[in-house]
Amino acid sequence: MQLAIVQTSPVFGKVQENVQAALELMESMPADLYVLPELFNAGYNFIEILEVERVAEQADGLTFQALLAFAQKRICYIAYGFAEKADHLYNSAALIGPSGLVGLYRKVHLFDRENLFFQPGNHGFPVFNLPFGRIGMMICFDWIYPEAARTLAIKGAQLIVHPSNLVLPYCPDAMVTRCLENRIFAATADRVGRENRGSFDLQFIGTSEIVSPSGEILARLDKDTPGIVAVNVDLQQADKKRINHYNDLIIDRKPDQYSR
Ligand code: ACM
């Protein structure tokens, strides 16, 4: 399958423009699955909850409708981050395809001031079956908890889609380890640009990447330019957890020796 990561440069609060900019990048590159950044339609650096409420959408909102039209026209799947308006506000990611919504993930590990605006996710880490493989979802800062990627691997995910808005420099290299230790693919789609909102100033690090189960960086974008890259991957490679005659990385875990 052809797997694409889309690195955008959202303008804070300009939902329609941000969706349009992502669609233009996607138009330029055929793929079976596109991964977009966290909160790609809204921007990230909120100062007050009213700003979140203004851009938050239900899972079937306008952003979903615009991306669904693309998925139907191109017969493809799209994973993207958005602020979800439900019983609470969640920092969510949707996976959609030609038939509509495949599934939702609500970010479990909120980063920094996200804690002021969003409720932590309450549905665990989901894995969805697509025609070309099993797709697990996590969002940005979830990377720093190895339990997130491990849970997805134990649940059978072959590929982790990882919408992100990275500000710390560590994740792109850390994802190599997440992939190696779980023998799994990951597609981290990050944003670029800066959001200076008074005393809250954030620079995003780009460096979106696709990593293989052996920790090979199959594609990596730069730190400051929007772009898209696609790689042909065989997701079944992620089913091989045995690294030698004696070690299967999942079966050989020793949960009775671990702390909760
Ligand atoms: C982050 O979780 N957006 C850093």
Side-chain angles (χ1 to χ4, degrees), residues 236-248:
Q236 292 192 357
Q237 285 176 6
D239 294 337
K240 188 172 174 294
K241 306 300 188 192
R242 183 167 292 284
I243 58 167
N244 59 41
H245 184 70
Y246 297 100
N247 298 110
D248 179 302

Side-chain angles (χ1 to χ4, degrees), residues 38 44 107 109 111 114 139-142 164-167:
E38 176 184 14
Y44 179 83
K107 187 175 186 178
H109 302 106
F111 179 68
E114 289 173 36
I139 298 177
C140 204
F141 194 54
D142 285 328
S164 296
N165 273 193
L166 296 166
V167 291

Side-chain angles (χ1 to χ4, degrees), residues 58-164:
Q58 293 180 337
D60 61 356
L62 288 178
T63 298
F64 166 81
Q65 299 296 342
L67 294 180
L68 177 63
F70 184 91
Q72 288 176 334
K73 186 173 71 176
R74 300 283 281 263
I75 315 293
C76 66
Y77 292 81
I78 308 167
Y80 62 94
F82 71 109
E84 185 194 356
K85 187 183 299 188
D87 54 335
H88 299 285
L89 294 168
Y90 296 97
N91 183 344
S92 294
L95 178 62
I96 71 170
S99 311
L101 184 69
V102 177
L104 268 185
Y105 165 64
R106 293 171 171 167
K107 187 175 186 178
V108 168
H109 302 106
L110 298 173
F111 179 68
D112 200 8
R113 295 171 57 258
E114 289 173 36
N115 285 284
L116 301 176
F117 309 124
F118 298 108
Q119 289 293 309
N122 50 3
H123 291 162
F125 294 91
V127 177
F128 303 104
N129 284 318
L130 295 189
F132 40 77
R134 298 185 300 275
I135 312 300
M137 299 173 88
M138 64 184 206
I139 298 177
C140 204
F141 194 54
D142 285 328
W143 72 266
I144 211 165
Y145 295 88
E147 294 88 343
R150 178 67 99 197
T151 299
L152 291 169
I154 289 171
K155 290 173 83 171
Q158 295 165 315
L159 163 67
I160 296 175
V161 295
H162 184 210
S164 296

